[in-house]
Structures are given as structure tokens and as C-alpha cells.
């Protein structure tokens, strides 16, 4: 088995390490300041231990006074700034090539939350000038139908990013379907090779999953020094928990993962300078789970029926927001925190994919 895998890995190896270049005939200065997240390779440091080294000072995050009010991290405003800079670069690409980045999305079934997320991606794509192609399938579709659609998008040069809206109906094999997406168009970052390179120092994936990337970008935009901090991630899913824990490690945080089988989770979360929760359990995190002054990123978005809402439901996060604001130094709201950043990172990944395809990368 190992011998059979070697040629496959060797064939893909140049993708990770090839040198990007600017086509001299279409050379144009593109901004590198769309987001604050640096290249992961630029973060790599030797993991050297010294007996005389001092432990990181985790007391730098201030203790909260009795009448503490958290800073609300406005993901909507930060994402708006990122989209504005993406719009500018899309316009430059259109001027140089006569084409625009293309994003293809596959939606299966009638889940209301999935439909809402796709609508937001459509609106955001149209706002920045990215061409959006939506293909829908009924709940009872087959894997073969979905994979055939993905193969067509793989071969379409006008499409630079492909994603399948998750979760999928239970009868469909998620890993099989995601593996059908071309590595170079996997803007959701879920391809095993993208996740694998995310885990390895000295390597950089073509794409980082959008929600984890958005969480890190929020922290960087807030001016948080991640290196040396104790970070706790609640949830170990392939979509958020796993890639986020890997990404935090690449930023040199000391990372713990809490999940459904963790004993005494509150004791672990109370040590966190940075707490990111993606459990999908409304109001799971109470004030007793938080270290005073912690930074809280709430990824949880559980739809709860609400007849007064436009779509018949509203979203609730994992964190009991009212309680947390009396303990945390900063916190993301739900909605309006991580969600807009996830969409912004999807647009950013699609933009970067198109620049590689048009040979406009530096």
C-alpha cells in the first residue's frame, strides 16, 4: 500500500512547493493586506526546549473587575473591510484578464440553515464581483450524481473554487464526495491533503478551512498575541475543531481540545486565555466555564424556531452570551461574529485560487 501511494504523493508534491510567479505581460501590483493572517511557513520555528527558559506569562490578559463589560468583536464590520479589499482585486483581475473568479456551490436537500448559508455566500459573491454557480440536488440524490457534478466543475476553467454545503444527508458518504473536489479548487480546505499539510511544519496547504481561518483572522484583527497563550477548542469536528486546533498550534498556542467524552471540561476551559467553541449546543458555556479576561470565539450556530424571524428561526451560539459578557474580555456575538468571517475567508480563498489560475500570484 505504501509503495502504491508514493507516486501519487510525488506527483502532488510540486503543488505545495512550486514557485508562484507573475506573468510579465499582465503584471500588476496586488495588495497583500486583504487579511492579517501570515503565511504558515513564516510562522515555523524550531521546537527547542531550554532548561533555563521561562514559561510564558499567561497573566497578561487582565483580570475582570466586578462590573466588567466585554468588548463585542464585530465580525460583520471586519468582514466588510475584507470584502471591500477583495472587490478591488477582483476588479483588477477583470481588467487584466477579462475574466472574474468563479465559485461553484452544491446544495443538497432542504435544510433551512444550509439554504440560509448559501444565500449569504451568493450575496457576498455578487457584492465582490465573483461569479456564483449554484447546483441543487434533492435529499434523495445519489453519490454518483453529486460526484459527476463535481467532476464537471473540476474541468471547468471558469470555476476556481468548489464547495459542497455541509452537512450532507446521512445516506451520502461525506469523505467520498469531498475527495472528488480538485485539490486546486478545494476552497473549503477539507481535502485530506490540505488538512495534512496544515498539520505539518515546513508545509503550507493551498487552502485553510474557512471557519478556522476566520477565527484566527478575528484574533489577529483584535491585536491578540496568540503565541504562548493557552487555547482551548471545544469540539473536534473535521470542519472546525480539528483544523482550528492545528492552526492554533501553527501560531504557537498551547492547545487543548474538549469534546463530548472529556471529563471535567469546565476545569480545562477555565485555564483558557483563548476559548473557541464549536459544539453546536446552545448555551453550553456558562460563566463558570470561563477564565476572567478570556477571549471567547463562539462558532456555534444552532437554529431555534422563532415565528417572529424572517426565516422562521434564529441562531443561538454555544455560549450563554449575557453571562459571558460579565467574565470575558472580548467575545463574538451570534449571529454577527464568526459567520461573516467564514464567508469572507471563502471569498478570499476563491480569489487566491483564481490568481494562481491566471498566473497573477507573486
Amino acid at each position: 500500500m505504501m509503495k502504491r501511494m508514493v507516486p501519487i504523493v510525488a506527483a502532488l508534491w510540486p503543488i505545495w512547493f512550486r514557485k508562484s510567479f507573475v506573468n510579465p505581460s499582465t503584471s500588476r501590483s496586488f495588495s497583500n493586506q486583504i487579511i492579517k493572517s501570515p503565511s504558515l511557513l513564516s510562522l515555523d520555528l524550531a521546537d527547542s526546549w531550554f532548561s533555563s527558559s521561562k514559561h510564558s506569562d499567561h497573566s497578561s490578559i487582565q483580570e475582570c473587575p466586578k462590573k466588567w463589560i466585554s468588548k463585542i468583536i464585530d465580525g460583520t464590520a471586519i468582514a466588510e473591510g475584507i470584502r471591500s479589499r477583495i472587490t478591488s482585486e477582483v476588479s483588477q483581475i477583470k481588467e487584466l484578464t477579462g475574466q472574474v473568479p468563479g465559485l461553484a456551490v452544491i446544495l443538497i436537500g432542504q435544510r433551512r440553515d444550509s439554504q440560509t448559508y448559501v444565500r449569504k455566500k451568493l450575496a457576498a459573491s455578487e457584492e465582490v464581483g465573483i461569479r456564483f454557480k449554484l447546483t441543487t440536488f434533492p435529499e434523495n440524490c445519489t453519490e454518483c450524481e453529486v460526484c459527476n457534478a463535481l467532476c464537471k466543475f473540476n474541468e471547468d476553467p471558469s470555476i476556481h473554487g468548489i464547495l459542497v454545503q455541509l452537512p450532507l444527508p446521512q445516506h451520502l458518504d461525506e469523505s467520498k464526495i469531498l475527495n472528488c473536489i480538485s485539490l486546486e479548487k478545494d476552497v473549503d480546505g477539507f481535502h485530506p491533503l490540505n488538512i495534512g499539510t496544515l498539520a505539518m511544519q515546513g508545509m503550507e496547504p493551498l487552502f485553510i478551512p474557512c471557519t478556522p481561518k476566520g477565527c484566527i483572522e478575528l484574533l489577529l484583527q483584535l491585536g491578540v498575541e496568540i503565541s504562548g497563550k493557552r487555547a482551548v477548542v471545544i469540539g473536534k469536528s473535521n470542519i472546525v475543531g480539528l483544523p482550528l486546533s492545528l492552526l492554533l498550534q501553527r501560531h504557537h498556542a498551547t492547545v487543548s481540545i474538549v469534546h463530548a467524552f472529556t471529563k471535567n471540561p469546565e476545569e480545562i476551559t477555565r485555564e483558557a486565555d483563548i476559548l473557541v467553541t464549536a459544539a453546536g449546543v446552545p448555551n453550553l458555556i456558562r460563566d463558570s466555564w470561563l477564565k476572567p479576561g478570556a477571549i471567547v470565539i463562539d462558532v456555534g450556530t444552532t437554529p431555534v424556531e422563532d415565528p417572529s424571524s424572517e426565516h422562521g428561526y434564529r441562531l443561538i451560539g454555544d455560549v450563554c452570551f449575557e453571562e459571558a459578557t460579565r467574565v470575558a474580555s472580548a467575545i463574538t456575538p451570534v449571529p454577527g461574529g464568526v459567520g461573516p468571517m467564514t464567508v469572507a475567508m471563502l471569498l478570499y480563498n476563491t480569489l487566491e485560487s483564481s490568481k494562481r489560475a491566471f498566473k497573477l500570484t507573486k
Side-chain angles (χ1 to χ4, degrees):
M1 177 64 72
M2 182 59 69
K3 291 182 179 179
R4 292 209 308 249
M5 289 179 64
V6 170
I8 298 174
V9 175
L12 291 169
W13 201 264
I15 293 174
W16 300 320
F17 290 97
R18 67 188 177 194
K19 294 181 179 179
S20 299
F21 62 92
V22 178
N23 187 329
S25 64
T26 58
S27 179
R28 179 65 62 92
S29 175
F30 283 89
S31 169
N32 289 322
Q33 300 303 315
I34 292 179
I35 61 176
K36 288 184 176 290
S37 298
S39 160
L40 294 184
L41 291 176
S42 70
L43 297 172
D44 285 346
L45 297 171
D47 193 19
S48 301
W49 292 75
F50 301 97
S51 59
S52 59
S53 64
K54 295 181 179 179
H55 293 290
S56 297
D57 179 10
H58 297 288
S59 62
S60 57
I61 295 183
Q62 60 182 310
E63 294 293 317
C64 302
K66 292 182 180 178
K67 295 185 179 179
W68 180 268
I69 300 217
S70 296
K71 173 182 175 62
I72 308 302
I73 305 172
D74 191 346
T76 300
I78 295 172
E80 183 178 352
I82 293 171
R83 292 198 307 274
S84 176
R85 294 186 286 276
I86 291 174
T87 301
S88 176
E89 291 213 359
V90 170
S91 296
Q92 291 183 57
I93 290 174
K94 186 174 183 180
E95 181 182 342
L96 289 169
T97 69
Q99 303 178 68
V100 297
L103 173 63
V105 175
I106 289 181
L107 174 63
I108 302 170
Q110 300 292 321
R111 281 182 62 112
R112 290 183 301 175
D113 54 340
S114 291
Q115 291 172 334
T116 298
Y117 299 147
V118 169
R119 279 196 299 269
K120 290 179 178 178
K121 291 167 184 173
L122 168 60
S125 296
E126 291 179 342
E127 177 189 339
V128 302
I130 289 176
R131 188 169 72 89
F132 189 92
K133 171 70 174 177
L134 175 63
T135 299
T136 60
F137 287 100
E139 183 90 13
N140 62 351
C141 69
T142 65
E143 288 176 4
C144 185
E145 290 175 312
V146 178
C147 289
N148 285 340
L150 290 173
C151 288
K152 290 179 181 178
F153 288 140
N154 287 339
E155 298 300 321
D156 186 344
S158 71
I159 297 297
H160 305 99
I162 304 170
L163 72 86
V164 177
Q165 184 64 45
L166 303 177
L168 299 178
Q170 290 187 352
H171 72 282
L172 297 177
D173 186 333
E174 180 179 300
S175 62
K176 179 180 178 180
I177 288 174
L178 294 181
N179 285 347
C180 288
I181 299 174
S182 166
L183 177 64
E184 294 191 320
K185 296 186 179 185
D186 174 39
V187 289
D188 245 352
F190 295 146
H191 193 287
L193 290 175
N194 275 323
I195 295 295
T197 49
L198 177 60
M200 299 178 68
Q201 285 200 40
M203 303 186 76
E204 179 137 19
L206 285 178
F207 305 103
I208 296 172
C210 300
T211 298
K213 189 178 181 74
C215 291
I216 295 295
E217 186 64 22
L218 282 175
L219 293 172
L220 296 177
Q221 293 276 352
L222 196 63
V224 176
E225 177 61 49
I226 301 174
S227 178
K229 293 295 191 298
R230 290 193 180 105
V232 173
V233 177
I234 300 179
K236 58 176 183 175
S237 73
N238 290 338
I239 299 174
V240 181
L242 173 61
L244 179 57
S245 64
L246 295 173
L247 192 52
L248 283 164
Q249 288 183 75
R250 293 293 292 266
H251 282 263
H252 309 296
T254 301
V255 183
S256 299
I257 300 175
V258 169
H259 48 77
F261 300 97
T262 301
K263 295 181 180 179
N264 303 317
E266 292 179 57
E267 294 181 9
I268 300 172
T269 60
R270 277 197 297 266
E271 295 293 318
D273 301 315
I274 300 169
L275 178 67
V276 187
T277 176
V281 180
N283 296 326
L284 171 68
I285 312 304
R286 315 301 295 233
D287 55 1
S288 61
W289 289 55
L290 303 177
K291 174 182 179 179
I295 297 168
V296 179
I297 307 294
D298 190 352
V299 182
T301 52
T302 302
V304 176
E305 288 196 15
D306 182 357
S308 64
S309 175
E310 178 183 358
H311 300 294
Y313 70 94
R314 59 191 173 91
L315 298 177
I316 294 182
D318 290 351
V319 180
C320 184
F321 188 79
E322 292 75 13
E323 292 185 9
T325 54
R326 297 193 294 266
V327 183
S329 64
I331 184 172
T332 58
V334 176
V338 175
M341 292 298 294
T342 297
V343 176
M345 295 301 101
L346 172 64
L347 301 179
Y348 176 81
N349 282 352
T350 303
L351 172 66
E352 291 300 297
S353 179
S354 72
K355 285 161 68 174
R356 282 193 287 264
F358 296 136
K359 297 181 173 59
L360 297 172
T361 51
K362 293 182 178 180

Short mmCIF file of all heavy atoms in Angstrom, two decimals, residues 176-197:
data_model
loop_
_atom_site.label_atom_id
_atom_site.label_comp_id
_atom_site.label_asym_id
_atom_site.label_seq_id
_atom_site.Cartn_x
_atom_site.Cartn_y
_atom_site.Cartn_z
N LYS A 176 -16.10 10.59 0.65
CA LYS A 176 -16.03 10.22 -0.77
C LYS A 176 -16.37 11.42 -1.65
O LYS A 176 -15.69 11.67 -2.66
CB LYS A 176 -16.98 9.06 -1.05
CG LYS A 176 -17.00 8.62 -2.51
CD LYS A 176 -17.96 7.45 -2.71
CE LYS A 176 -18.00 7.04 -4.19
NZ LYS A 176 -18.95 5.91 -4.41
N ILE A 177 -17.39 12.15 -1.27
CA ILE A 177 -17.82 13.30 -2.06
C ILE A 177 -16.78 14.42 -2.02
O ILE A 177 -16.41 15.00 -3.05
CB ILE A 177 -19.20 13.80 -1.58
CG1 ILE A 177 -20.28 12.79 -2.02
CG2 ILE A 177 -19.51 15.19 -2.11
CD1 ILE A 177 -21.66 13.08 -1.51
N LEU A 178 -16.26 14.73 -0.84
CA LEU A 178 -15.27 15.80 -0.72
C LEU A 178 -13.98 15.45 -1.47
O LEU A 178 -13.30 16.33 -1.99
CB LEU A 178 -14.98 16.10 0.75
CG LEU A 178 -16.14 16.69 1.56
CD1 LEU A 178 -15.71 16.96 2.99
CD2 LEU A 178 -16.67 17.98 0.92
N ASN A 179 -13.65 14.17 -1.50
CA ASN A 179 -12.44 13.75 -2.21
C ASN A 179 -12.56 13.89 -3.73
O ASN A 179 -11.56 13.82 -4.44
CB ASN A 179 -12.10 12.29 -1.86
CG ASN A 179 -11.49 12.16 -0.47
OD1 ASN A 179 -11.10 13.15 0.14
ND2 ASN A 179 -11.42 10.94 0.02
N CYS A 180 -13.80 14.09 -4.21
CA CYS A 180 -13.99 14.29 -5.65
C CYS A 180 -13.59 15.70 -6.08
O CYS A 180 -13.40 15.96 -7.26
CB CYS A 180 -15.46 14.05 -6.02
SG CYS A 180 -15.96 12.32 -5.99
N ILE A 181 -13.48 16.62 -5.12
CA ILE A 181 -13.15 18.00 -5.45
C ILE A 181 -11.66 18.11 -5.76
O ILE A 181 -10.82 17.61 -5.02
CB ILE A 181 -13.52 18.94 -4.28
CG1 ILE A 181 -15.02 18.88 -4.00
CG2 ILE A 181 -13.10 20.38 -4.59
CD1 ILE A 181 -15.45 19.67 -2.78
N SER A 182 -11.34 18.78 -6.84
CA SER A 182 -9.94 19.00 -7.20
C SER A 182 -9.22 19.74 -6.08
O SER A 182 -9.75 20.70 -5.52
CB SER A 182 -9.87 19.83 -8.49
OG SER A 182 -8.57 20.33 -8.70
N LEU A 183 -8.02 19.28 -5.76
CA LEU A 183 -7.24 19.89 -4.69
C LEU A 183 -7.05 21.38 -4.93
O LEU A 183 -7.11 22.19 -4.00
CB LEU A 183 -5.87 19.20 -4.59
CG LEU A 183 -4.88 19.75 -3.56
CD1 LEU A 183 -5.42 19.56 -2.15
CD2 LEU A 183 -3.53 19.06 -3.72
N GLU A 184 -6.84 21.77 -6.19
CA GLU A 184 -6.56 23.16 -6.50
C GLU A 184 -7.81 24.03 -6.52
O GLU A 184 -7.72 25.25 -6.70
CB GLU A 184 -5.83 23.26 -7.84
CG GLU A 184 -4.44 22.65 -7.78
CD GLU A 184 -3.61 22.97 -8.99
OE1 GLU A 184 -4.18 22.94 -10.11
OE2 GLU A 184 -2.41 23.25 -8.83
N LYS A 185 -9.00 23.42 -6.32
CA LYS A 185 -10.24 24.20 -6.25
C LYS A 185 -10.95 23.99 -4.91
O LYS A 185 -12.09 24.44 -4.74
CB LYS A 185 -11.17 23.81 -7.41
CG LYS A 185 -10.59 24.15 -8.79
CD LYS A 185 -11.60 23.88 -9.90
CE LYS A 185 -11.01 24.25 -11.27
NZ LYS A 185 -12.01 24.10 -12.36
N ASP A 186 -10.28 23.34 -3.99
CA ASP A 186 -10.88 23.00 -2.69
C ASP A 186 -10.87 24.20 -1.74
O ASP A 186 -10.17 24.23 -0.73
CB ASP A 186 -10.10 21.83 -2.08
CG ASP A 186 -10.55 21.48 -0.67
OD1 ASP A 186 -11.77 21.52 -0.40
OD2 ASP A 186 -9.68 21.18 0.18
N VAL A 187 -11.65 25.25 -2.07
CA VAL A 187 -11.61 26.49 -1.31
C VAL A 187 -12.17 26.35 0.10
O VAL A 187 -11.96 27.23 0.94
CB VAL A 187 -12.32 27.62 -2.07
CG1 VAL A 187 -11.52 28.05 -3.27
CG2 VAL A 187 -13.73 27.21 -2.48
N ASP A 188 -12.87 25.26 0.38
CA ASP A 188 -13.31 24.98 1.75
C ASP A 188 -12.18 24.39 2.59
O ASP A 188 -12.27 24.33 3.81
CB ASP A 188 -14.51 24.04 1.75
CG ASP A 188 -15.77 24.70 2.30
OD1 ASP A 188 -15.67 25.84 2.80
OD2 ASP A 188 -16.85 24.09 2.23
N GLY A 189 -11.13 23.89 1.92
CA GLY A 189 -9.95 23.40 2.62
C GLY A 189 -10.11 22.06 3.30
O GLY A 189 -9.33 21.71 4.19
N PHE A 190 -11.09 21.24 2.88
CA PHE A 190 -11.36 19.98 3.56
C PHE A 190 -10.69 18.78 2.91
O PHE A 190 -10.81 17.66 3.40
CB PHE A 190 -12.87 19.72 3.64
CG PHE A 190 -13.60 20.72 4.49
CD1 PHE A 190 -14.90 21.10 4.17
CD2 PHE A 190 -13.01 21.28 5.60
CE1 PHE A 190 -15.58 22.02 4.94
CE2 PHE A 190 -13.68 22.19 6.39
CZ PHE A 190 -14.97 22.57 6.06
N HIS A 191 -10.05 18.96 1.77
CA HIS A 191 -9.37 17.84 1.12
C HIS A 191 -8.32 17.28 2.08
O HIS A 191 -7.63 18.03 2.77
CB HIS A 191 -8.71 18.31 -0.17
CG HIS A 191 -8.25 17.19 -1.05
ND1 HIS A 191 -7.15 16.41 -0.75
CD2 HIS A 191 -8.75 16.72 -2.23
CE1 HIS A 191 -6.98 15.52 -1.71
NE2 HIS A 191 -7.93 15.68 -2.62
N PRO A 192 -8.18 15.94 2.16
CA PRO A 192 -7.20 15.35 3.10
C PRO A 192 -5.79 15.90 2.94
O PRO A 192 -5.06 16.02 3.94
CB PRO A 192 -7.26 13.85 2.76
CG PRO A 192 -8.63 13.64 2.22
CD PRO A 192 -8.98 14.89 1.49
N LEU A 193 -5.39 16.23 1.72
CA LEU A 193 -4.04 16.77 1.52
C LEU A 193 -3.91 18.19 2.07
O LEU A 193 -2.85 18.58 2.55
CB LEU A 193 -3.66 16.72 0.05
CG LEU A 193 -3.42 15.31 -0.50
CD1 LEU A 193 -3.17 15.36 -2.00
CD2 LEU A 193 -2.25 14.64 0.20
N ASN A 194 -4.98 18.97 1.99
CA ASN A 194 -4.95 20.30 2.59
C ASN A 194 -4.88 20.21 4.12
O ASN A 194 -4.12 20.94 4.77
CB ASN A 194 -6.16 21.12 2.16
CG ASN A 194 -5.95 21.83 0.83
OD1 ASN A 194 -4.85 22.31 0.53
ND2 ASN A 194 -6.98 21.88 0.01
N ILE A 195 -5.67 19.30 4.70
CA ILE A 195 -5.63 19.13 6.16
C ILE A 195 -4.29 18.56 6.59
O ILE A 195 -3.71 18.97 7.61
CB ILE A 195 -6.78 18.20 6.62
CG1 ILE A 195 -8.14 18.85 6.35
CG2 ILE A 195 -6.65 17.88 8.11
CD1 ILE A 195 -8.40 20.12 7.13
N GLY A 196 -3.76 17.62 5.81
CA GLY A 196 -2.48 17.01 6.15
C GLY A 196 -1.34 18.01 6.17
O GLY A 196 -0.52 18.02 7.09
N THR A 197 -1.28 18.89 5.16
CA THR A 197 -0.22 19.88 5.13
C THR A 197 -0.41 20.95 6.20
O THR A 197 0.57 21.54 6.67
CB THR A 197 -0.12 20.54 3.74
OG1 THR A 197 -1.42 20.97 3.33
CG2 THR A 197 0.42 19.58 2.72
#
